[in-house]
Amino acid sequence: MGLDLYAKIEPFLDFEEEVYLLHKEFLRFVMTNDLDNIIDIGCGQGYFLENLRINKKKYFGIDLSIEQIKVCQAKGLNAQAIALKDVKEKFDCATAIFDVLNYISKEELKTFLKETNEVLTQGAYFIFDVNSYFGFEEVAQGTITIDLEDKFIAIDANFEDEKLQTDITLFEEQENGLFRKEQDSIIQEYHSKEFLTKILKETNFAVVDIKEFNLHTDEIADKLIFICKKM
């Protein structure tokens, strides 16, 4: 679903500030509640795992993208490219940061939440963020082009029928001086607060709090952060 191609272009997308602010919010909750033994689902290139390691927390990261996990392992982080259903250990907290649940379709979300519940100990926290409708419609969609010396990146994101399709094109210079073209797409879905609250209850989670989070404007939240507990 385009995740490996996205891993190649992610360092050039200038998301550092957004990632920092979101990770700061999650880490604040972890530290305030003295949480440990944390699984980060969809860990990407391991930025949040690095924060956990710095703060001497026990952690484990998983991601479906082999390319993302290669970056994690190059940093010496405890991370693997495995599916959530294949995780055998139990954890006292799970995190899913930067739209992870938006990459999961409504039809598959219940299975994902059940699998998350199964890797948690009783009373463990599950913390995640999702894009608001404003976040999809006003922030996420649009076109970006990045022209570098040895590569050219084009991203076109269109939000329609509560789905964001992001088409990625990468031209990258090879050793022979010729450029190689790669293309792929990523689909993300909008999940409403009401839908998530309902399906979380059905999968044995209690919603402790839902926080509105603003990354791009002070007026309208572009993200919602859900704090849940395994019942």
Side-chain angles (χ1 to χ4, degrees):
M1 195 182 66
L3 295 179
D4 283 340
L5 181 55
Y6 179 80
K8 288 185 178 182
I9 69 166
E10 185 180 24
F12 307 101
L13 297 182
D14 195 25
F15 285 155
E16 286 87 353
E17 184 177 358
E18 289 93 334
V19 170
Y20 169 77
L21 291 172
L22 199 54
H23 285 180
K24 184 179 178 181
E25 188 72 14
F26 276 72
L27 190 62
R28 180 186 292 117
F29 185 85
V30 167
M31 300 303 291
T32 300
N33 291 275
D34 196 25
L35 302 178
D36 204 356
N37 191 23
I38 298 160
I39 180 170
D40 187 27
I41 303 167
C43 64
Q45 299 189 3
Y47 301 116
F48 190 64
L49 300 182
E50 290 181 283
N51 286 322
L52 295 175
R53 180 170 65 180
I54 289 169
N55 285 279
K56 303 187 185 306
K57 298 293 184 180
K58 183 180 178 183
Y59 69 89
F60 178 53
I62 63 170
D63 201 288
L64 295 178
S65 169
I66 294 172
E67 293 302 319
Q68 300 278 45
I69 293 300
K70 283 180 181 177
V71 175
C72 290
Q73 292 177 346
K75 297 175 182 177
L77 295 167
N78 181 26
Q80 292 183 26
I82 61 172
L84 181 57
K85 64 182 177 63
D86 296 324
V87 174
K88 304 303 180 186
E89 300 93 335
K90 296 283 187 181
F91 299 86
D92 299 324
C93 178
T95 56
I97 309 175
F98 217 49
D99 318 336
V100 169
L101 269 71
N102 291 123
Y103 287 93
I104 305 170
S105 69
K106 287 179 173 60
E107 294 75 19
E108 297 173 330
L109 193 55
K110 196 166 189 176
T111 297
F112 170 82
L113 292 173
K114 285 180 178 177
E115 290 172 355
T116 301
N117 195 282
E118 288 172 4
V119 301
L120 293 174
T121 57
Q122 192 64 36
Y125 281 100
F126 175 38
I127 318 162
F128 65 89
D129 68 275
V130 289
N131 274 329
S132 68
Y133 197 90
F134 174 83
F136 271 124
E137 189 173 49
E138 299 296 332
V139 178
Q141 74 171 336
T143 301
I144 300 172
T145 58
I146 302 169
D147 192 357
L148 304 170
E149 185 175 342
D150 61 344
K151 57 179 64 66
F152 178 82
I153 301 165
I155 302 169
D156 184 37
N158 182 53
F159 184 57
E160 188 175 359
D161 297 329
E162 298 193 343
K163 292 184 180 181
L164 181 79
Q165 177 167 327
T166 303
D167 299 320
I168 303 170
T169 303
L170 169 65
F171 289 92
E172 192 167 28
E173 188 175 12
Q174 307 299 295
E175 291 183 1
N176 60 8
L178 299 177
F179 280 78
R180 179 170 177 261
K181 179 182 178 181
E182 292 183 73
Q183 282 185 305
D184 215 330
S185 297
I186 295 172
I187 303 290
Q188 292 174 275
E189 288 195 26
Y190 166 70
H191 302 311
S192 71
K193 180 165 59 174
E194 295 75 18
F195 169 72
L196 286 169
T197 301
K198 179 177 179 291
I199 200 170
L200 282 161
K201 185 177 180 180
E202 291 173 357
T203 51
N204 206 33
F205 282 107
V207 177
V208 177
D209 194 11
I210 303 173
K211 295 184 176 182
E212 294 188 348
F213 195 72
N214 299 21
L215 281 176
H216 299 93
T217 173
D218 292 333
E219 297 177 359
I220 304 176
D222 44 33
K223 285 190 177 296
L224 298 175
I225 297 176
F226 279 71
I227 301 169
C228 312
K229 258 191 171 183
K230 176 173 178 173
M231 295 169 60

